[in-house]
Amino acid sequence: MDSCIFCKIANGEIPSNTIYEDDKFRVILDNGPATKGHALVIPKEHYANLFEMPQDLLADAAVVAKKVATNIKEKLSCDGLNLVQNNGETAGQTVMHFHLHIIPRYENDGQHILWNPTSPSAEELVEVKNTIVGA
């Protein structure tokens, strides 16, 4: 896609701090990192979001994320990490090209990737379940 910045980065048209690359993905350090080592797994082909990604490529993205996350954990000695993938503006997606965040976490890093738990009743949960599975 000619106007997509992540297409240009993934295909080497725009310089990046690449920490991994293969024929399907480029993994770069995020220019606005949440923490030291925050990286993005970006497919070289354009897919706007999770729903457009072919299932096999999505599986490949998970394999790449594990490989890179393992290396980050070993080299940067982080205490844990988050994998975050947003779909749509409401969910926090700012670049409409599928990407998977690998966010190393450090004790007292000040970051919060959390939500406020709600308290649905047992009946509400069953209703939602039935809506999803079609019961």
Side-chain angles (χ1 to χ4, degrees):
M1 194 170 181
D2 291 343
S3 63
C4 177
I5 190 165
F6 275 11
C7 284
K8 292 176 182 178
I9 292 170
N11 291 294
E13 296 171 41
I14 295 175
S16 64
N17 289 301
T18 300
I19 59 173
Y20 175 86
E21 183 177 11
D22 64 22
D23 59 326
K24 298 176 187 173
F25 298 94
R26 182 180 297 261
V27 182
I28 66 169
L29 293 178
D30 193 308
N31 282 342
T35 62
K36 177 179 162 186
H38 180 169
L40 304 175
V41 178
I42 306 171
K44 292 184 175 181
E45 288 187 46
H46 183 83
Y47 301 98
N49 54 44
L50 170 81
F51 307 107
E52 290 186 6
M53 285 273 284
Q55 197 163 327
D56 60 333
L57 191 62
L58 190 58
D60 292 341
V63 171
V64 168
K66 180 180 180 183
K67 182 184 298 188
V68 172
T70 300
N71 191 42
I72 287 172
K73 184 163 176 42
E74 178 185 314
K75 299 290 175 72
L76 297 182
S77 301
C78 59
D79 300 308
L81 62 91
N82 294 106
L83 293 179
V84 177
Q85 202 283 309
N86 303 321
N87 292 280
E89 290 180 35
T90 302
Q93 185 178 7
T94 58
V95 177
M96 298 307 149
H97 181 117
F98 175 94
H99 55 288
L100 177 61
H101 294 261
I102 302 171
I103 305 172
R105 298 305 303 272
Y106 305 91
E107 193 74 32
N108 301 313
D109 64 19
Q111 293 296 338
H112 303 283
I113 301 172
L114 304 171
W115 54 89
N116 295 318
T118 61
S119 301
S121 68
E123 293 80 16
E124 289 171 309
L125 289 173
V126 168
E127 181 181 331
V128 172
K129 176 197 74 164
N130 289 341
T131 299
I132 293 170
V133 298

